Amino acid sequence: MQLHVSPSMRSITISSSSNEFTTSDLMKIKLAARHISYRTLFHTILILAFLLPFVFILTALVTLEGANKCSSIDCLGRRLGPRLLGRVDDSERLARDFYTILNEASTQEIPHGLKLPDSFHHLVSDIKNDHYDAKTFALVLRAMMEKFEQDIRESKFAELTNKHFAASSIPKGIHCLSLKLTDEYSSNAHARRQLPSPELLPLLLNNSYHHFILSTDNILAASVVVSSAVQSSSNPEKIVFHIITDKKTYAGMHSWFALNSVAPAIVEVKGVHQFDWLTKENVPVLEAAESHNGVRDYYHGNHVAGANLTETTPRRFASKLQSRSPKYISLLNHLRIYIPELFPNLDKVVFLDDDIVVQRDLAPLWDLDLGGKVNAAVETCRGEDEWVMSKRLRNYFNFSHPLIAKHLDPEECAWAYGMNVFDLKAWRKTNIRETYHSWLRENLRLNLAMWKLGTLPPALIAFKGHVHVIDSSWHMLGLGYQNKTNIENVRKAAVIHYNGQSKPWLEIGFEHLRPFWTKYVNYSNDFIRNCHILEYQ
């Protein structure tokens, strides 16, 4: 913007440069023919110099805010006038009127059978063709938003339900692996060889060795647990694994470890049918749990039918689905409560779930002084993670039931299964198993009125006063629940636990967390290759 005074001092011109080649006059002031003193001219120039920066700033603001360019004084006047005079812009008044209309529409009932456009494009078209008034437009817009919100909500619940079924199913590759290894057991004598070899049998009872117990029917998962523990150990020759599986999986599980040695570590594979102690007389409550109609309906029935989805949140719904996994009434899942009876000659063991990975030498766990306690475990109420590490007893029990309210504190911290050190000598001096059975039996009688979620709630009661808390770095949980897990914390943890639905062997597993598990899968193995295990990666 430039100021030009004519040589004759009869006119003053204000001009702006459109570009470096062209200019346009914004204002031209013609002066009277009378003589003007230099003092008057100086004052005039001084006033204009003072005003011009403000004119320039307002012009810049208008140019930036407006979509159309102003190329005339008339246009600038219309745009700058209301601002200079303190008047409200029409757009601001329109926004206030629009808010008033929408606010009124939010309290009115949406007419029955109101036709709703399918998209914003159709909405604009309907406004043009049907000549909507403001009220009708507001009601249609509100109805569209509510419909979209409901569709999104229903889609979220459908996604959670499908994820639950995916998590409960057996992947084709893992099923194939079990079948092929079972067939190998019947046709290959080497696959049936004794585990461990006869000369190593005494070591199964030797308490100077580090004994791990793993209960699972997932051959691939068991292979990862064993391989990761052995590879992470500084003294693998001191490791003894006791793997317990069900009758249908026994042949395949035995074949895998007979054909894939983890020497110098020792592996024993036993089926539940091979334990003389596991009779109906000794585990009557579990027999009842598997045959109880209410229990079977709860865990195997339709998980969505009858559910009032309007009164729950997706997070609560996901938690309820997780608690209805059929694994929670599996004998393999309850076996941990019978470890002192199943291994009467052992003094101390580490119990591992099949969805964990060992990343650090666990030998120091056998040197832990439990102070007379039975179960060394990490607490799950002191972490930053609100989904996994904020669990107290109120999260597992129905405190509206008088028995629960009488015996338990809702604010008491919970602890985790998955990686536990059990002092079996101390355990055998307690009534933990009897307490577990008593509460489980009562909950069955009350048709699951006190708690819904499987094996941990009765254990939280039975082990009350018998838990020795260990540092959380020994056992990191939640890798199967959420994808926001801190990767640096994962790398540092001694044991990482994929508890939750998104197991690493499933397609719904989290991609960035899966490599911590797959690094221990032997992809060169013929059975793994032929069954196309995790080939989608």
Side-chain angles (χ1 to χ4, degrees):
M1 190 169 290
Q2 300 174 343
L3 182 70
H4 300 279
V5 180
S6 66
S8 63
M9 295 188 181
R10 293 185 177 275
S11 66
I12 300 174
T13 303
I14 301 173
S15 62
S16 65
S17 299
S18 301
N19 51 53
E20 58 180 321
F21 301 108
T22 63
T23 60
S24 59
D25 293 343
L26 292 179
M27 188 180 296
K28 186 171 184 179
I29 303 173
K30 292 184 178 181
L31 304 176
R34 67 171 182 256
H35 175 73
I36 299 176
S37 67
Y38 283 103
R39 178 178 293 180
T40 302
L41 179 61
F42 175 74
H43 289 161
T44 302
I45 295 173
L46 189 65
I47 292 172
L48 288 173
F50 176 77
L51 291 176
L52 281 176
F54 293 98
V55 174
F56 174 77
I57 292 172
L58 286 173
T59 304
L61 286 173
V62 170
T63 304
L64 289 173
E65 291 178 358
N68 300 321
K69 296 180 179 179
C70 284
S71 58
S72 68
I73 293 295
D74 180 58
C75 173
L76 283 175
R78 290 197 306 271
R79 299 289 296 276
L80 296 176
R83 294 177 181 271
L84 293 172
L85 297 176
R87 296 175 184 172
V88 179
D89 193 355
D90 287 344
S91 62
E92 295 178 7
R93 185 175 66 253
L94 181 61
R96 283 204 307 268
D97 293 342
F98 190 51
Y99 168 78
T100 302
I101 294 169
L102 291 177
N103 196 40
E104 291 175 356
S106 66
T107 61
Q108 296 178 4
E109 184 176 351
I110 297 176
H112 179 70
L114 181 66
K115 179 185 174 183
L116 298 179
D118 295 327
S119 65
F120 178 77
H121 173 74
H122 290 154
L123 174 63
V124 174
S125 178
D126 288 352
I127 292 173
K128 179 181 178 181
N129 297 331
D130 299 341
H131 306 290
Y132 283 2
D133 57 23
K135 178 181 177 181
T136 302
F137 169 73
L139 287 173
V140 170
L141 185 63
R142 175 190 160 196
M144 286 180 65
M145 293 295 294
E146 291 181 356
K147 180 178 181 299
F148 291 153
E149 288 175 0
Q150 182 64 23
D151 290 345
I152 292 172
R153 183 179 175 84
E154 291 176 358
S155 297
K156 184 63 178 177
F157 284 120
E159 175 193 352
L160 292 171
T161 302
N162 292 335
K163 188 174 182 180
H164 170 69
F165 291 135
S168 302
S169 63
I170 300 174
K172 184 170 64 175
I174 291 179
H175 182 60
C176 164
L177 183 65
S178 181
L179 291 178
K180 286 185 176 295
L181 286 168
T182 299
D183 182 64
E184 192 73 11
Y185 184 84
S186 63
S187 60
N188 185 346
H190 189 60
R192 296 191 301 272
R193 70 182 179 87
Q194 186 175 352
L195 287 178
S197 55
E199 67 274 12
L200 297 177
L201 286 177
L203 300 182
L204 297 179
L205 311 176
N206 190 328
N207 281 296
S208 67
Y209 280 69
H210 299 155
H211 294 267
F212 293 90
I213 296 177
L214 172 64
S215 177
T216 180
D217 60 356
N218 187 327
I219 298 172
L220 184 65
S223 73
V224 169
V225 174
V226 174
S227 295
S228 64
V230 172
Q231 293 181 37
S232 300
S233 174
S234 57
N235 295 295
E237 67 279 1
K238 297 283 288 184
I239 289 179
V240 178
F241 259 96
H242 304 268
I243 300 175
I244 308 172
T245 190
D246 56 19
K247 190 173 183 177
K248 66 179 176 59
T249 314
Y250 170 75
M253 188 75 73
H254 187 104
S255 292
W256 176 266
F257 288 101
L259 298 172
N260 298 277
S261 173
V262 290
I266 298 168
V267 175
E268 173 193 33
V269 178
K270 293 191 74 172
V272 292
H273 58 289
Q274 296 174 317
F275 287 94
D276 296 333
W277 189 88
L278 285 176
T279 63
K280 291 182 180 180
E281 290 73 24
N282 287 330
V283 290
V285 176
L286 297 184
E287 180 71 18
E290 291 194 326
S291 60
H292 189 283
N293 289 333
V295 173
R296 293 193 65 80
D297 288 343
Y298 181 81
Y299 287 104
H300 294 284
N302 190 325
H303 300 339
V304 181
N308 190 351
L309 301 182
T310 61
E311 297 182 1
T312 188
T313 64
R315 177 169 174 171
R316 288 179 183 172
F317 184 68
S319 181
K320 288 181 179 179
L321 287 178
Q322 172 70 10
S323 72
R324 297 178 77 159
S325 172
K327 74 175 185 178
Y328 290 122
I329 57 172
S330 162
L331 177 59
L332 285 175
N333 208 36
H334 285 271
L335 274 182
R336 63 197 78 191
I337 203 67
Y338 305 117
I339 289 176
E341 289 76 26
L342 299 181
F343 300 94
N345 298 300
L346 297 183
D347 294 339
K348 181 181 281 189
V349 299
V350 170
F351 180 87
L352 299 174
D353 276 353
D354 65 359
D355 53 355
I356 65 97
V357 172
V358 179
Q359 301 188 126
R360 210 165 70 210
D361 188 5
L362 299 185
L365 293 176
W366 273 266
D367 298 326
L368 278 178
D369 180 6
L370 304 191
K373 305 291 186 181
V374 172
N375 175 11
V378 298
E379 288 185 316
T380 55
C381 68
R382 306 186 190 281
E384 299 178 357
D385 175 15
E386 295 181 358
W387 179 254
V388 179
M389 298 299 287
S390 61
K391 303 295 187 183
R392 299 182 182 273
L393 296 195
R394 66 171 181 265
N395 299 108
Y396 296 97
F397 295 97
N398 174 19
F399 275 89
S400 64
H401 195 282
L403 273 178
I404 296 296
K406 179 181 178 181
H407 290 91
L408 301 177
D409 175 8
E411 297 305 314
E412 184 178 332
C413 192
W415 49 267
Y417 266 145
M419 196 285 293
N420 304 83
V421 184
F422 290 133
D423 184 337
L424 302 186
K425 290 178 69 176
W427 190 338
R428 295 185 184 102
K429 299 175 183 178
T430 71
N431 62 345
I432 289 174
R433 176 167 60 90
E434 290 74 16
T435 303
Y436 186 94
H437 277 176
S438 174
W439 280 90
L440 186 56
R441 185 183 295 110
E442 184 64 13
N443 195 42
L444 285 173
R445 188 184 69 80
L446 296 171
N447 202 24
L448 307 181
M450 294 191 289
W451 71 80
K452 302 293 186 184
L453 183 64
T455 56
L456 185 57
L460 291 172
I461 299 174
F463 283 100
K464 186 176 176 62
H466 299 292
V467 177
H468 174 80
V469 178
I470 59 177
D471 190 84
S472 59
S473 65
W474 281 109
H475 181 193
M476 182 178 181
L477 297 107
L479 277 71
Y481 275 118
Q482 55 182 359
N483 60 4
K484 295 182 180 179
T485 304
N486 187 299
I487 296 297
E488 191 58 34
N489 290 342
V490 173
R491 292 193 178 99
K492 293 178 181 178
V495 171
I496 54 174
H497 194 171
Y498 292 84
N499 59 313
Q501 292 180 321
S502 300
K503 304 297 186 190
W505 55 83
L506 299 175
E507 290 191 42
I508 60 174
F510 299 122
E511 290 297 329
H512 65 298
L513 299 177
R514 199 194 308 274
F516 293 97
W517 187 85
T518 54
K519 66 185 290 188
Y520 296 105
V521 176
N522 182 8
Y523 288 105
S524 63
N525 181 275
D526 289 340
F527 292 100
I528 297 289
R529 289 206 316 270
N530 292 336
C531 287
H532 309 290
I533 299 291
L534 299 176
E535 66 175 2
Y536 52 82
Q537 294 187 93

